Amino acid sequence: MVKKSAKILSLMFFVILFSSEGSLAQKAILQIEKQKKVLVVTHNSQVLGKEKTFRIFLPEASHGDSLFPVLYVLHGVLCHSEAWPEQTEIDDLANDYQMILVFPDGENSWYIDSPLKSDMQYESYIIKELIPFIEHNFPARPGRKSRAIIGASMGGHGAITLAAKYPDLFCSVSSFFGILKLSDERTIKSNLVGPFLTELLGPYNKNKKRWRANSAYELAENFINKDIAIFIDWGINDVTPAKQNNHDFHHRLNELGIPHLWKERYGGHTSDFLNMHLKEHLDFHWENLNQNQ
């Protein structure tokens, strides 16, 4: 079993079997490799029926028996787990915070469970498998008050919808230019959205209930009377459906009386926008995680 200590940083290309009963966390770690400031972990996924790779950043102070809160960081469409570490400065900024960062690989899943494709059950993968796996094998502090989630574009959608579906699992959520209203006509017709979700959920006109059940806009009421901090951020130069989606989602939260932090500012659907405002999001989550300890 991997001990919760800094020794994990030196582990490469090995196989370990876990023995705890009754948990999806009892998977084989097939490989751990160090790349720059993050570990690249490959493991068997029972939920997806295949090997999966995620990246994880551990604080420099991860020695002894110390446990840390966890921020789950979700990538956008056409990306993988390396997107955030390679395209942003998040691993450099992470040194300023005593928290673990987990970068899952969500493929082009929109972080939902597809009723049409058995290997695209990414809602269940994140919630039922990856979170227990992280808390079982790394120095992660368990519990809602020690978990937060963030994402960009498709990942912004994933972060908001997972937080809305499971508000008892996260204390804070933030989105960079998330695609937040899947039922919007412009969203459905978008090449960034339509083809992928049609493959996962079926055509919208025949499966409206499925699409709406996985749309942040329609799920917003789940945040009512839930103690979860929400941060919505987007750029006024965004040319994707995120532009109108974020306005609509903001107004929907206001209609429902749900407190949230809302920012619209100069910038587009780009990694430059992420880097410009990333520290603000990390501060937001760090503050909420600390308030809850």
Side-chain angles (χ1 to χ4, degrees):
M1 176 176 177
V2 177
K3 294 184 178 180
K4 295 181 176 180
S5 73
K7 292 181 180 179
I8 195 169
L9 293 174
S10 63
L11 298 174
M12 299 181 65
F13 299 97
F14 63 98
V15 176
I16 296 181
L17 295 176
F18 300 99
S19 59
S20 63
E21 296 182 2
S23 171
L24 285 174
Q26 56 176 344
K27 301 297 175 294
I29 287 184
L30 302 178
Q31 177 176 302
I32 293 185
E33 178 183 354
K34 183 76 182 294
Q35 286 187 1
K36 297 181 179 178
K37 297 180 181 179
V38 300
L39 296 176
V40 183
V41 183
T42 300
H43 72 113
N44 280 323
S45 169
Q46 181 177 319
V47 169
L48 301 174
K50 55 188 176 184
E51 292 181 10
K52 288 304 299 180
T53 296
F54 64 86
R55 283 161 170 76
I56 184 169
F57 171 88
L58 298 177
E60 291 181 353
S62 55
H63 297 277
D65 296 325
S66 297
L67 299 180
F68 303 90
V70 184
L71 176 63
Y72 291 87
V73 187
L74 308 185
H75 64 74
V77 72
L78 301 177
C79 296
H80 296 282
S81 63
E82 75 276 8
W84 279 87
E86 290 187 359
Q87 297 177 25
T88 75
E89 300 169 356
I90 193 166
D91 53 349
D92 291 326
L93 291 171
N95 287 323
D96 297 332
Y97 307 88
Q98 291 300 300
M99 62 181 172
I100 294 170
L101 305 182
V102 177
F103 306 94
D105 175 18
E107 299 189 60
N108 296 320
S109 68
W110 289 83
Y111 302 98
I112 64 175
D113 285 348
S114 169
L116 306 179
K117 305 186 73 174
S118 62
D119 65 341
M120 296 296 274
Q121 308 297 305
Y122 276 90
E123 176 182 326
S124 292
Y125 170 67
I126 299 289
I127 299 299
K128 298 179 181 180
E129 188 166 40
L130 185 62
I131 290 176
F133 184 91
I134 296 299
E135 294 178 1
H136 182 77
N137 297 298
F138 295 94
R141 182 182 298 127
R144 173 185 182 273
K145 294 181 178 181
S146 297
R147 297 190 204 103
I149 190 166
I150 182 176
S153 193
M154 180 188 81
H157 166 276
I160 295 294
T161 54
L162 290 177
K165 290 178 180 180
Y166 305 94
D168 295 332
L169 289 184
F170 304 99
C171 69
S172 60
V173 58
S174 71
S175 166
F176 280 103
F177 43 73
I179 307 294
L180 303 179
K181 192 176 183 181
L182 303 186
S183 56
D184 183 85
E185 182 178 359
R186 282 159 292 192
T187 306
I188 296 166
K189 293 181 178 179
S190 169
N191 289 332
L192 287 172
V193 184
F196 298 107
L197 281 173
T198 297
E199 186 176 346
L200 295 168
L201 299 174
Y204 176 73
N205 59 355
K206 295 181 179 180
N207 300 278
K208 293 180 181 180
K209 186 176 180 179
R210 286 180 186 170
W211 284 59
R212 291 171 178 171
N214 290 288
S215 171
Y217 181 85
E218 280 78 12
L219 290 167
E221 62 185 24
N222 289 12
F223 289 118
I224 295 175
N225 296 326
K226 297 296 183 181
D227 183 23
I228 183 168
I230 304 170
F231 185 0
I232 309 298
D233 198 357
W234 71 284
I236 59 174
N237 306 103
D238 198 324
V239 296
T240 75
K243 185 171 185 177
Q244 188 60 46
N245 282 188
N246 279 260
H247 271 293
D248 291 348
F249 189 69
H250 168 55
H251 293 313
R252 180 63 175 154
L253 292 180
N254 284 338
E255 289 173 355
L256 295 170
I258 298 170
H260 61 286
L261 179 60
W262 156 262
K263 295 287 181 76
E264 60 175 318
R265 39 203 174 183
Y266 178 80
H269 208 92
T270 66
S271 57
D272 287 341
F273 186 87
L274 296 181
N275 281 320
M276 191 177 301
H277 306 294
L278 182 54
K279 187 177 187 304
E280 187 175 352
H281 282 249
L282 294 177
D283 286 343
F284 167 80
H285 289 293
W286 182 236
E287 179 180 353
N288 282 284
L289 289 165
N290 277 334
Q291 285 178 350
N292 286 312
Q293 299 312 312

